[in-house]
C-alpha cells in the first residue's frame, strides 16, 4: 500500500509538471535548443559541443561507427567532421542520449546505479538497432528511429532516480506500474518537447504486437527490442511479440533478404551502440 502511495505521488507530480532534471543536463538541453533554431550555424553547434567534452567525444565516436562510415569515409578526428557527417538531427539524438543518461547519474545506491548503467546499455543497443532496421527494412526516417530508441525507456531512468530516495519502490512490481510509467513517460517527453508521433509510438509499445511485415516507427522499435542481445534490468510486461515469434520466423524464412539485413543490422548496431556508450 505504501508503495502504491509513493507511485501515486510521483505520477501526480509528473502530471503537474513538477519534474526535476539534473543540472548536469543543461549543456545537452542547450545544444538541443541550438539545433532546433532554424538560424543555427555549424559554428554555433561546434561551440556548444566543444564546451561539453563528453558530448564532443560521443559525437566523434558516433561519426566513426560502422553505420556512418559505411561508404568508406575517412576516420573523423575532430568535431567539425563529426558535425558534417552526422547532421543536426543525429546530433539532437546524441544530446537526448545525454539527457536520458543523466537521470541516473546522481544515484547513490550501488544496485540501482548498476541497473541504470545496464538500462543505458540496453537503450543504446535498441536505438542503434532501430536506426539500422529503419534504414534497411521498415524504410522510415532512421534518425527518428534512433531518437525514439534513445527515449523509449526514459520513464525507467526517472523511476530509478526516484527509487534512490524511496527504497523498495521498484521491488516486486505490480501490474499498475506499467501504467504509471506511461504517464511519467508522457510528461517527461512533453517537457523535453519530443515530437508527438515519436511520443505516441513510445507509449504504445506496452502490450503491442509487431505487425507482419513490420512497418512504421512502433514496429521498428518492437523488432529492435526483440532482437536486442542486451537484457533490460527492469521488469518487462508480457510482450505479445513473444507470442508472435513463430509468425516472425515464418516471415523471415519467406524473405531471406530481410533476415540477412537483420543480421547485418545487428553487426552495425554493435558498433553504433558502443559509440553511444563512450
Amino acid at each position: 500500500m505504501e508503495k502504491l502511495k509513493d507511485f501515486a505521488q510521483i505520477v501526480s507530480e509528473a502530471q503537474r509538471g513538477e519534474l526535476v532534471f539534473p543540472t548536469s543536463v543543461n549543456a545537452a538541453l542547450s545544444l538541443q535548443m541550438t539545433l532546433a533554431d532554424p538560424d543555427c550555424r555549424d559554428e554555433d553547434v561546434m561551440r556548444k559541443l566543444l564546451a561539453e567534452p563528453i558530448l564532443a567525444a560521443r559525437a566523434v565516436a558516433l561519426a566513426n561507427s560502422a553505420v556512418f562510415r559505411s561508404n568508406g569515409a575517412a576516420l573523423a578526428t575532430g568535431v567539425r567532421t563529426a558535425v558534417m557527417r552526422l547532421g543536426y538531427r543525429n546530433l539532437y539524438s546524441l544530446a537526448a542520449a545525454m539527457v536520458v543518461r543523466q537521470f541516473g547519474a546522481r544515484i547513490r545506491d550501488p544496485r540501482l546505479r548498476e541497473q541504470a548503467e545496464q538500462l543505458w546499455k540496453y537503450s543504446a543497443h535498441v536505438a542503434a538497432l532501430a536506426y539500422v532496421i529503419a534504414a534497411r527494412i521498415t524504410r522510415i526516417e532512421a534518425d527518428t528511429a534512433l531518437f525514439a530508441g534513445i527515449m523509449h525507456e526514459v520513464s525507467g531512468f526517472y523511476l530509478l532516480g526516484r527509487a534512490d530516495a524511496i527504497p523498495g519502490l521498484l521491488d516486486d512490481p505490480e501490474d499498475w506500474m506499467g501504467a504509471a510509467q506511461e504517464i511519467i513517460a508522457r510528461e517527461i517527453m512533453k517537457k523535453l518537447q519530443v515530437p508527438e508521433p515519436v511520443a505516441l509510438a513510445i507509449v504504445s509499445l506496452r502490450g503491442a504486437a509487431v505487425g507482419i511485415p513490420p512497418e512504421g516507427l512502433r514496429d521498428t522499435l518492437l523488432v529492435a527490442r526483440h532482437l536486442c542481445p542486451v537484457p533490460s534490468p527492469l521488469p518487462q510486461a508480457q510482450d505479445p511479440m513473444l507470442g508472435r515469434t513463430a509468425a516472425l520466423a515464418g516471415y523471415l524464412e519467406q524473405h531471406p533478404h530481410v533476415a540477412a539485413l537483420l543480421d547485418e543490422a545487428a553487426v552495425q548496431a554493435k558498433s553504433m551502440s558502443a559509440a553511444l556508450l563512450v
Side-chain angles (χ1 to χ4, degrees):
M1 185 61 70
E2 284 300 317
K3 186 161 59 172
L4 184 57
K5 289 181 180 178
D6 290 334
F7 261 100
Q9 180 180 342
I10 292 170
V11 169
S12 178
E13 290 171 354
Q15 290 175 320
R16 293 196 302 268
E18 297 173 0
L19 296 164
V20 180
F21 287 7
T23 55
S24 53
V25 308
N26 289 340
L29 291 174
S30 176
L31 174 60
Q32 285 185 313
M33 289 179 62
T34 298
L35 291 165
D37 185 345
D39 296 324
C40 174
R41 298 175 302 169
D42 288 351
E43 288 74 17
D44 300 325
V45 176
M46 286 185 284
R47 188 159 47 249
K48 293 286 185 181
L49 281 172
L50 290 170
E52 180 48 65
I54 294 176
L55 267 175
R58 287 179 185 155
V60 173
L62 188 60
N64 284 325
S65 66
V67 172
F68 291 101
R69 293 187 67 203
S70 58
N71 59 354
L75 192 72
T77 57
V79 168
R80 180 178 293 276
T81 304
V83 169
M84 299 299 292
R85 185 174 299 173
L86 294 174
Y88 288 2
R89 294 186 68 178
N90 287 318
L91 285 169
Y92 192 94
S93 294
L94 194 66
M98 184 171 179
V99 172
V100 171
R101 197 173 185 182
Q102 287 302 311
F103 276 121
R106 295 184 297 178
I107 294 176
R108 293 165 297 178
D109 183 279
R111 182 177 64 88
L112 292 173
R113 195 173 186 85
E114 183 179 341
Q115 285 184 299
E117 283 301 309
Q118 179 68 14
L119 186 60
W120 177 244
K121 291 176 184 176
Y122 166 77
S123 298
H125 211 95
V126 168
L129 276 167
Y131 182 94
V132 184
I133 291 167
R136 308 297 296 275
I137 297 169
T138 53
R139 300 295 181 181
I140 63 171
E141 290 184 339
D143 47 10
T144 298
L146 175 69
F147 179 63
I150 286 169
M151 296 298 302
H152 90 283
E153 281 286 8
V154 66
S155 61
F157 284 100
Y158 185 78
L159 286 173
L160 281 169
R162 294 303 303 269
D164 196 45
I166 308 174
L169 180 70
L170 299 181
D171 294 343
D172 303 318
E174 305 289 345
D175 292 340
W176 43 261
M177 179 176 160
Q181 282 185 279
E182 183 178 319
I183 295 170
I184 293 167
R186 279 187 176 277
E187 295 304 321
I188 293 175
M189 289 190 289
K190 188 185 300 181
K191 187 161 186 177
L192 292 176
Q193 299 183 339
V194 174
E196 187 63 15
V198 175
L200 283 174
I202 290 172
V203 298
S204 67
L205 289 173
R206 183 170 170 261
V210 68
I212 304 294
E215 58 184 20
L217 181 56
R218 188 184 70 175
D219 280 358
T220 299
L221 291 173
L222 285 170
V223 175
R225 295 204 314 175
H226 182 66
L227 294 175
C228 185
V230 180
S232 170
L234 297 181
Q236 302 291 305
Q238 185 64 31
D239 194 343
M241 179 70 186
L242 298 178
R244 302 203 64 183
T245 301
L248 182 61
Y251 169 73
L252 294 177
E253 187 175 341
Q254 294 174 15
H255 300 81
H257 67 286
V258 177
L261 286 176
L262 286 176
D263 288 340
E264 183 181 339
V267 174
Q268 292 185 328
K270 186 176 181 180
S271 168
M272 193 172 183
S273 63
L276 291 171
L277 290 169
V278 168

